[in-house]
């Protein structure tokens, strides 16, 4: 990814007209109505209660694919911590006031989905539990995204990704030989097993509602979501894939042909040459004589084989190795940093990354639907409370009531600051 405006590269914005005037990227964000009309989740209304990371990711997925996502933020906060806010609108509402609870109730019962990120019992305490809301709107899909689920002794316990990953069983398998378990960022529980799994649950419930006309409650536990994502680890044990200690198996950094290697310029190459026919191409690309090497699957020789690969990879730069292996089936690819992934030729050809109106590059929504693709909004994220008035008016609050809520501090209306 370019760092200076002068050598900015163009990023095709799917479904958006992006025009470069010199170094200024002008993204004409398809208007909200236009976006909603053409996408899989067009017309679906979501109330997302502001959470930390999993729920915001779930909300962003729904928004990218056309849903109208209204995030309910706390009042008296200077900035939203939601970096996954694209396409969302923000209402600032104080739920510590009975009037605030009444406002949220009215928003929820007029929506299709409520997405709440709090620990068990919080919404019930507010009088906004599923029983309450589903009574008023039987079509409501009430998504509850938590760490431990709505039952069990940990249900009210605080936690974060690493705790849920640990409780899922998967963390015990992650880490190199003779090292302690290692959590891969907050990817597996927060995002894969949390936000993404919850989005799947919501779409499943929407599909079911199209037949039954009924809403339902989604109990999305990140422990269970992460474990479910890792089902292969449980169900492939009979194949003998995980018989050895952590870090000594084929896919957990034990195998020299499934690992990363440093190149002479301090970068790295990723090697995934599992099948014999691909492994042969790896050996060929490295310029090694297969006859002089131990057999690929000789576990006891893996440390020696790894040393050989490490020595050879250290002889050339990442670009040189990419030229050698590009176009082969050796399953060898450059380890790209975030700010280079978007400009790799393959990713550029597909438009796998996009640039928003703030010149920020991020992944485009996946997967790509051929007829109703996601059309992510690329204009700036909402300011906390930016849409309070317009949303309340749209949801049937009269102007005098809105003014009263404002003056009572139940809601807040904030304006976006002009960008200089
Ligand atoms: C965002 C960055 C990445 C974080 C990812 C991290 C690794 C995770 O794993 S996130 C997943 C966390 N777990 C869950 O989401 C599971 C379900 N949720 C919970 O279990 C809990 O919510 C909880 C444990 C996460 C938090 O518990 P808490 O007690 O705080 O809250 P709850 O019990 O849920 O109750 C909510 C209460 O709030 C009331 N409420 C809700 N809405 C409103 C409203 N609108 N008005 C008024 N009141 C409201 C509600 O009624 C409840 O009240 P009661 O309790 O009375 O019932 C982050 C990574 C680093 C962070 C930054 C860093 O920490 C530095 C700063 C620290 C500073 O304090 C904040 C800013 C930081 C910059 C901080 C910012 C971000 O968090 C990070 C960048």
């Amino acid at each position: 990814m370019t760092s200076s405006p002068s050598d900015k590269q163009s990023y095709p914005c799917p479904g958006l007209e992006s025009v470069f005037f010199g170094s200024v990227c002008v993204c004409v964000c398809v208007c909200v109505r236009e976006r909603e009309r053409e996408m899989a989740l067009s017309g679906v209304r979501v109330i997302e209660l502001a959470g930390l990371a999993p729920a915001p990711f779930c909300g962003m997925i729904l928004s990218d694919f056309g849903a109208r996502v209204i995030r309910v933020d706390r009042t008296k906060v200077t900035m939203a911590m939601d970096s996954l806010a694209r396409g969302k609108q923000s209402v600032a509402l104080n739920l510590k006031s009975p009037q605030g609870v009444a406002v949220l109730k009215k928003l929820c019962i007029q929506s299709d989905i409520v997405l709440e990120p709090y620990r068990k019992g919080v919404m019930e305490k507010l009088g906004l539990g599923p029983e309450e809301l589903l009574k008023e709107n039987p079509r409501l899909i009430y998504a509850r995204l938590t760490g431990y689920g709505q039952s069990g002794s940990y249900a009210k316990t605080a936690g974060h990704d690493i705790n849920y990953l640990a409780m899922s069983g998967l963390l015990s398998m992650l880490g190199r030989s003779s090292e302690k378990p290692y959590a891969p960022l907050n990817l597996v529980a927060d995002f894969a097993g949390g936000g993404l799994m919850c989005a799947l649950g919501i779409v499943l419930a929407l599909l079911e509602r199209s037949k039954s006309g009924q809403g339902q409650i989604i109990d999305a536990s990140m422990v269970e979501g992460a474990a479910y994502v890792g089902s292969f680890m449980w169900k492939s044990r009979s194949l003998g894939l995980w018989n050895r200690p952590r870090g000594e198996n084929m896919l957990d950094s034990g195998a020299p042909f499934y690992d990363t290697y440093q190149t002479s310029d301090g970068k790295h190459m990723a090697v995934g040459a599992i099948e014999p026919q691909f492994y042969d191409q790896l050996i060929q690309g490295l310029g090694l004589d297969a006859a002089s090497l131990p057999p690929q699957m000789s576990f006891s020789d893996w440390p020696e084989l790894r040393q050989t690969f490490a020595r050879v990879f250290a002889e050339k730069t990442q670009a040189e190795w990419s030229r050698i292996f590009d176009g082969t089936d050796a399953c060898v690819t450059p380890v790209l940093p975030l700010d280079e992934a978007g400009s790799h030729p393959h990713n550029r050809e597909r438009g796998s990354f996009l640039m928003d109106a703030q010149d920020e590059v991020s992944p485009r929504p996946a997967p790509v639907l051929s007829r109703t693709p996601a059309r992510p909004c690329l204009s700036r994220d909402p300011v906390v409370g930016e849409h309070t008035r317009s949303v309340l008016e749209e949801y049937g609050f009269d102007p005098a009531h809105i003014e009263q809520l404002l003056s009572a501090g139940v809601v807040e209306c904030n304006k976006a600051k002009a960008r200089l």
Side-chain angles (χ1 to χ4, degrees):
M1 171 54 198
T2 54
S3 50
S4 60
S6 54
D7 54 341
K8 191 162 296 312
Q9 295 164 345
S10 68
Y11 280 79
C13 292
L16 293 158
E17 310 315 316
S18 67
V19 179
F20 281 88
F21 295 107
S23 64
V24 174
C25 161
V26 177
C27 262
V28 177
C29 181
V30 176
C31 74
V32 173
R33 292 278 171 259
E34 173 65 14
R35 282 184 66 229
E36 282 179 352
R37 196 177 64 239
E38 298 172 10
M39 292 185 274
L41 296 179
S42 303
V44 173
R45 300 211 295 189
V46 182
I47 300 295
E48 173 195 325
L49 289 147
L52 282 178
F57 180 52
C58 180
M60 186 185 84
I61 293 169
L62 302 174
S63 167
D64 282 346
F65 284 89
R68 174 95 179 283
V69 179
I70 293 164
R71 189 186 67 211
V72 175
D73 289 299
R74 289 166 170 73
T75 52
K76 300 189 178 62
V77 293
T78 47
M79 61 180 281
M81 298 319 302
D82 177 6
S83 56
L84 299 165
R86 79 175 166 222
K88 299 178 188 175
Q89 294 182 308
S90 169
V91 167
L93 178 60
N94 179 6
L95 291 177
K96 289 308 180 200
S97 76
Q99 286 196 79
V101 172
V103 168
L104 182 58
K105 188 170 191 176
K106 188 167 179 178
L107 295 179
C108 292
I109 58 182
Q110 293 181 66
S111 297
D112 297 292
I113 290 147
V114 176
L115 170 57
E116 64 104 348
Y118 308 131
R119 72 177 92 195
K120 170 187 164 65
V122 165
M123 291 293 275
E124 284 81 351
K125 251 194 308 185
L126 294 168
L128 295 171
E131 289 61 39
E132 194 71 32
L133 299 189
L134 279 156
K135 211 179 335 177
E136 310 252 356
N137 174 8
R139 287 174 54 81
L140 185 65
I141 291 166
Y142 196 113
R144 317 195 79 171
L145 180 45
T146 61
Y148 301 109
Q150 295 298 317
S151 58
S153 56
Y154 278 22
K156 293 197 171 191
T157 304
H160 288 94
D161 176 274
I162 193 167
N163 307 110
Y164 313 139
L165 189 63
M167 288 290 289
S168 75
L170 290 173
L171 183 56
S172 71
M173 301 181 71
L174 299 169
R176 286 189 173 277
S177 176
S178 71
E179 290 182 8
K180 61 184 181 175
Y182 155 77
L185 310 177
N186 59 321
L187 277 176
V188 179
D190 273 0
F191 297 120
L196 180 57
M197 200 58 82
C198 190
L200 171 64
I202 287 169
V203 171
L204 292 171
L206 280 170
L207 178 61
E208 193 282 334
R209 188 180 75 172
S210 68
K211 293 173 276 187
S212 71
Q214 295 297 306
Q216 59 184 308
I217 302 163
I218 297 172
D219 179 0
S221 145
M222 282 184 258
V223 170
E224 292 166 0
Y228 193 49
V229 165
S231 295
F232 176 72
M233 283 65 210
W234 276 266
K235 299 178 82 62
S236 62
R237 282 190 294 189
S238 57
L239 303 177
L241 270 180
W242 315 107
N243 293 349
R244 302 161 65 81
R246 179 175 57 248
E248 296 179 22
N249 301 281
M250 184 192 297
L251 302 179
D252 66 358
S253 76
F257 52 85
Y258 200 86
D259 203 349
T260 56
Y261 291 92
Q262 186 160 334
T263 54
S264 64
D265 50 354
K267 297 181 178 181
H268 293 87
M269 298 300 285
V271 175
I274 298 175
E275 296 80 351
Q277 66 272 26
F278 303 151
Y279 179 79
D280 292 346
Q281 295 193 46
L282 167 67
I283 299 306
Q284 202 176 339
L286 292 174
L288 291 169
D289 170 15
S292 67
L293 296 175
Q296 177 189 2
M297 302 309 284
S298 167
F299 292 167
S300 58
D301 292 308
W302 279 0
E304 177 205 336
L305 203 48
R306 186 191 311 279
Q307 282 177 2
T308 303
F309 290 175
R311 175 176 52 76
V312 176
F313 269 112
E315 293 167 357
K316 290 183 172 64
T317 66
Q318 186 186 73
E320 289 168 334
W321 285 120
S322 294
R323 280 192 291 276
I324 289 168
F325 286 112
D326 274 3
T328 75
D329 277 346
C331 309
V332 179
T333 49
V335 177
L336 300 172
L338 289 193
D339 61 5
E340 290 178 23
S343 48
H344 184 282
H346 172 74
N347 293 337
R348 276 181 60 75
E349 287 150 24
R350 278 187 57 82
S352 302
F353 293 80
L354 44 82
M355 182 189 285
D356 65 19
Q358 286 69 44
D359 297 348
E360 186 188 272
V361 174
S362 62
R364 75 168 169 175
V368 177
L369 277 64
S370 62
R371 186 169 47 78
T372 58
R375 301 166 68 93
C377 180
L378 301 183
S379 54
R380 60 168 177 76
D381 290 349
V383 165
V384 170
E386 181 176 350
H387 306 95
T388 304
R389 188 185 298 277
S390 59
V391 168
L392 294 190
E393 285 170 354
E394 185 185 337
Y395 273 70
F397 290 81
D398 66 53
H401 187 189
I402 295 173
E403 288 312 317
Q404 184 272 322
L405 291 169
L406 277 168
S407 54
V410 175
V411 300
E412 250 172 32
C413 288
N414 299 311
K415 290 201 180 329
K417 293 183 179 60
R419 280 189 77 207
L420 299 176

